[in-house]
Amino acid sequence: MDEKKLAESAAGGDQKAFEQLVLQYQKPVYNLALRMAGSADDAFDLAQEAFVRAWRALPQFKFESSFSTWLYRLTSNVCIDF
């Protein structure tokens, strides 16, 4: 299943679809957090927080951009807030 279909399913509450998205993006999200935070431990926590926020906000995602673009921006914001 492609990214958009997974994101649409996850936005509808499909936890398995969201799990697939997490598995697909956990490494790039962690790497972004690591670059921004500079600490592996902080990056792990920030990546986890980004996925929690993504799960909560996904029903409001408007699909005006790709899911990955939205997720990376969300991750950046989590790191900036940190």
Side-chain angles (χ1 to χ4, degrees), residues 26-54:
Q26 64 186 356
K27 188 172 182 177
V29 165
Y30 171 80
N31 287 335
L32 174 58
L34 181 60
R35 283 194 307 274
M36 292 186 75
S39 159
D41 290 335
D42 289 338
F44 178 80
D45 291 341
L46 291 167
Q48 186 173 17
E49 178 63 22
F51 282 115
V52 168
R53 288 190 191 181

Side-chain angles (χ1 to χ4, degrees), residues 15-82:
Q15 291 181 357
K16 293 227 181 260
F18 187 71
E19 181 181 328
Q20 289 298 317
L21 290 168
V22 170
L23 292 173
Q24 184 174 347
Y25 290 105
Q26 64 186 356
K27 188 172 182 177
V29 165
Y30 171 80
N31 287 335
L32 174 58
L34 181 60
R35 283 194 307 274
M36 292 186 75
S39 159
D41 290 335
D42 289 338
F44 178 80
D45 291 341
L46 291 167
Q48 186 173 17
E49 178 63 22
F51 282 115
V52 168
R53 288 190 191 181
W55 173 251
R56 290 181 183 153
L58 203 48
Q60 289 80 39
F61 180 47
K62 305 232 186 309
F63 295 93
E64 294 171 353
S65 64
S66 69
F67 173 80
S68 58
T69 299
W70 177 77
L71 179 62
Y72 297 147
R73 185 69 220 163
L74 189 148
T75 303
S76 295
N77 289 341
V78 167
C79 293
I80 289 167
D81 290 347
F82 171 72

